[in-house]
């Protein structure tokens, strides 16, 4: 039982969790990331088809990453902590 009490004392002495990004900034971050995703998706749909699709792959990958982080920021700003 000494081990449990030691762990409980350690837990009580630790500072509370504080996020790196304030929760008040999450809606703005989500808006910027998702707007960038939609702009890049439109740009991707208007690109000419190349024989070597390096530019297409880069634009699509960037839009995908921005969309993923934008959706997570949107969910967290709505209170769904994922």
């Amino acid at each position: 039982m000494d081990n449990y009490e030691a762990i409980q004392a350690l837990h009580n002495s630790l500072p509370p969790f504080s996020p790196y990004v304030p929760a008040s900034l999450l809606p703005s971050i989500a808006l910027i990331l998702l707007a960038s995703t939609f702009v890049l998706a439109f740009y991707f749909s208007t690109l000419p088809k190349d024989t070597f699709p390096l530019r297409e792959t880069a634009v699509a990958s960037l839009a995908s990453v921005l969309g993923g982080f934008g959706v997570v920021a949107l969910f967290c700003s709505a209170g769904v902590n994922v």
Side-chain angles (χ1 to χ4, degrees):
M1 211 49 154
D2 291 332
N3 192 17
Y4 175 75
E5 291 168 355
I7 292 173
Q8 187 176 15
L10 177 64
H11 176 73
N12 291 334
S13 69
L14 292 175
F17 173 76
S18 63
Y20 292 122
V21 178
S24 61
L25 288 179
L26 288 175
S28 302
I29 292 171
L31 177 68
I32 291 168
L33 291 176
L34 291 175
S36 301
T37 300
F38 290 123
V39 168
L40 285 173
F42 174 75
Y43 177 68
F44 175 76
S45 66
T46 60
L47 283 175
K49 303 299 177 209
D50 295 331
T51 56
F52 188 68
L54 182 63
R55 184 171 44 166
E56 295 173 3
T57 305
V59 170
S61 298
L62 181 60
S64 176
V65 168
L66 290 177
F69 282 111
V71 167
V72 168
L74 183 66
F75 280 1
C76 288
S77 68
V80 181
N81 295 321
V82 292

